[in-house]
Amino acid sequence: MSSIVAGIEMGGTGCKVAISDTNGQFTEQYSLQVVTTTSENTLLEIHDWLALKKSERPFVAIGIACFGPVDLNKKSKTYGYITTTPKPGWQYVNVVGAFHDLNVPIVFETDVNAPAMTEAALLGDTSAAYITIGTGVGVGLVINSQPIHGLMHPEGAHIKVERISGDDYSGCCPYHGSCIEGMSKAQAVAERLNISPSLLSTIPDDHPVWNIQAYYIAQLCAATMYLTSVERIIIGGGLMKRQILFKLIRKHFHQILNNYINIPIITQNIDEYICPSQLGDLIGIQSALDLAQTVVNKN
Ligand SMILES: [Zn+2]
């Protein structure tokens, strides 16, 4: 059974907060878009909106799908914190702690594990990867219907890549240079073209830079599938609004596999294996609401 719950989608440039309807679903009427500024101001704005709306629409739990890296270890002193993010002013910020005084259970997850959970549930799968490609690259994983936690959470975007011939771009990950994130996030594509990332939308679909980018994302898809055997790979994020990327990623994915995996969804229905979100732009906030519902269902 579903209840009224609150959800927070914490992003590096914008956040969304919402209170669900009685079926746990997102409704525009009870939602607020917040620009991500300083950690204090951003968390306060979200907190105050929830505090204000709670009397009107009482929610019984909060789900937070947060950009990372985050601490998901409940035994850790920094559980519920954003940890070593390169984002200025957001290192070691206590996100969960900012909402304790609202007196409801809080479920905290990464902004990629949470969507993987929602997508797997919607599709009736017990495993899924959710990859996001935008200002960063992230990989969330659900296996046996559970989000992957352990040492921390999956960091698949930092796997080193094999270079596509002709691409001499050095990569922009401050830690690894040419890892998947360093070779395929928006900044990497823009730097190859010597333009600002804000102008990427002006580059036509047939520009060769998209084929290069797709090759690196396809390597991430192949590594994820080989290692985890997920039943589905969902790809979202700002850059994936460019539909041609799905076609290019699937093409490279097949070439990388080289017929090694002989399963119909891979050989015949690749469009269903590597696919966009079922919920489009709402996946982030709905997945935060769904997280909150998991604690309601436990009680
Ligand atoms: Zn890296």
Side-chain angles (χ1 to χ4, degrees):
M1 217 182 86
S2 296
S3 309
I4 297 176
V5 290
I8 307 169
E9 178 189 8
M10 295 280 309
T13 51
C15 304
K16 197 162 194 162
V17 50
I19 302 172
S20 76
D21 64 15
T22 50
N23 295 315
Q25 296 302 302
F26 172 79
T27 150
E28 201 70 55
Q29 190 197 345
Y30 278 96
S31 71
L32 177 74
Q33 194 77 41
V34 174
V35 176
T36 306
T37 55
T38 64
S39 54
E40 287 90 358
N41 289 350
T42 308
L43 291 170
L44 194 66
E45 190 176 346
I46 296 169
H47 170 276
D48 289 355
W49 185 83
L50 285 172
L52 184 73
K53 297 289 175 187
K54 199 172 177 227
S55 53
E56 216 175 298
R57 198 171 177 99
F59 50 86
V60 295
I62 302 173
I64 306 176
C66 189
F67 74 91
V70 293
D71 188 345
L72 300 174
N73 178 2
K74 287 189 176 162
K75 290 178 185 157
S76 162
K77 280 184 184 151
T78 52
Y79 167 74
Y81 283 54
I82 292 172
T83 59
T84 54
T85 176
K87 191 173 172 56
W90 282 82
Q91 290 97 357
Y92 289 93
V93 165
N94 186 354
V95 176
V96 168
F99 304 99
H100 270 154
D101 71 330
L102 296 173
N103 286 317
V104 293
I106 299 171
V107 186
F108 188 57
E109 247 316 332
T110 69
D111 60 356
V112 278
N113 268 352
M117 292 165 73
T118 289
E119 295 283 350
L122 280 173
L123 293 160
D125 294 334
T126 58
S127 62
Y130 183 87
I131 296 175
T132 177
I133 315 281
T135 53
V137 176
V139 184
L141 281 173
V142 167
I143 306 285
N144 294 334
S145 303
Q146 293 297 318
I148 296 296
H149 299 174
L151 181 68
M152 46 183 302
H153 45 73
E155 283 286 357
H158 295 276
I159 296 171
K160 288 288 242 187
V161 292
E162 183 178 69
R163 236 164 232 288
I164 193 166
S165 88
D167 183 24
D168 58 4
Y169 176 64
S170 60
C172 61
C173 175
Y175 295 93
H176 317 111
S178 58
C179 62
I180 288 156
E181 179 169 271
M183 295 298 267
S184 62
K185 68 178 187 172
Q187 184 191 342
V189 182
E191 285 182 0
R192 282 191 186 89
L193 299 166
N194 273 320
I195 60 168
S196 150
S198 62
L199 292 175
L200 282 176
S201 58
T202 66
I203 304 300
D205 275 358
D206 60 0
H207 194 288
V209 78
W210 303 120
N211 186 57
I212 294 172
Q213 191 206 21
Y215 179 62
Y216 299 122
I217 301 167
Q219 288 186 46
L220 177 57
C221 293
T224 300
M225 181 212 61
Y226 283 144
L227 203 58
T228 68
S229 197
V230 282
E231 294 156 282
R232 193 102 46 186
I233 298 176
I234 300 104
I235 316 183
L239 285 187
M240 294 308 295
K241 295 209 184 306
R242 189 174 289 270
Q243 292 296 312
I244 188 79
L245 279 175
F246 280 99
K247 203 175 147 194
L248 295 168
I249 292 165
R250 292 169 186 140
K251 176 196 75 175
H252 285 299
F253 182 78
H254 270 150
Q255 285 170 355
I256 291 166
L257 265 52
N258 198 23
N259 301 317
Y260 181 61
I261 306 292
N262 189 12
I263 294 173
I265 195 168
I266 302 289
T267 54
Q268 293 159 35
N269 299 313
I270 191 68
D271 291 11
E272 289 174 27
Y273 189 70
I274 296 177
C275 57
S277 166
Q278 308 286 299
L279 298 179
D281 287 344
L282 288 182
I283 179 64
I285 188 64
Q286 184 60 51
S287 73
L289 293 166
D290 293 350
L291 275 181
Q293 210 66 248
T294 62
V295 78
V296 177
N297 293 340
K298 256 186 222 164
N299 294 338

